[in-house]
Amino acid sequence: MNDLSLPGPAGSGPACSCTTAAAAARADADQPADTVARFGPTHALILLIAVLGLGSALFLAGTPLPSVFALLGGLGAIGAATLTAAGGGRRLMAVFVEAAVRSGAGK
C-alpha cells in the first residue's frame, strides 16, 4: 500500500535556524522609523523619466497628442491617489494646496 505520510520527529531536535516571514516582519517592525524607505528624489527622477519616455513613445507611435496627455494625466492621478492613501495624505495635500494658492496668485 502507498502510505505517503511522513513519520513525526522522534525527539526534540535542534531548533530551526531558518527565518520565517513572520520573524522577518517582526525584525522590520523593530527598525527605527527613520530607516523606513520613503519616496525620495531618486524615486521622483525615475518616475519622471518613465512618464517622459512613455509619452514620447506614444507620440512617436502616432497617438494623438490629446490622448497622450489624457493617459499621462490619468497615470498621474492614480499615482497621486496611491501616495495619498499610503502616506496619510498630509504632505501631498500640503503640496496641492500650495500649488493651488500659487496658481491663484498668478505666480
Side-chain angles (χ1 to χ4, degrees):
M1 188 169 187
N2 266 340
D3 187 17
L4 296 177
S5 62
L6 297 173
S12 62
C16 179
S17 63
C18 60
T19 303
T20 64
R26 282 193 305 273
D28 288 343
D30 293 337
Q31 295 293 326
D34 59 347
T35 62
V36 177
R38 300 204 183 271
F39 185 77
T42 304
H43 299 104
L45 179 63
I46 291 169
L47 287 176
L48 177 67
I49 292 170
V51 166
L52 291 175
L54 177 63
S56 298
L58 287 171
F59 179 73
L60 292 175
T63 307
L65 206 51
S67 296
V68 172
F69 289 146
L71 174 67
L72 295 180
L75 290 175
I78 291 170
T82 304
L83 285 176
T84 301
R90 289 183 296 269
R91 259 190 341 190
L92 187 61
M93 286 308 298
V95 169
F96 283 147
V97 168
E98 181 182 353
V101 168
R102 285 178 185 247
S103 68
K107 291 184 179 183

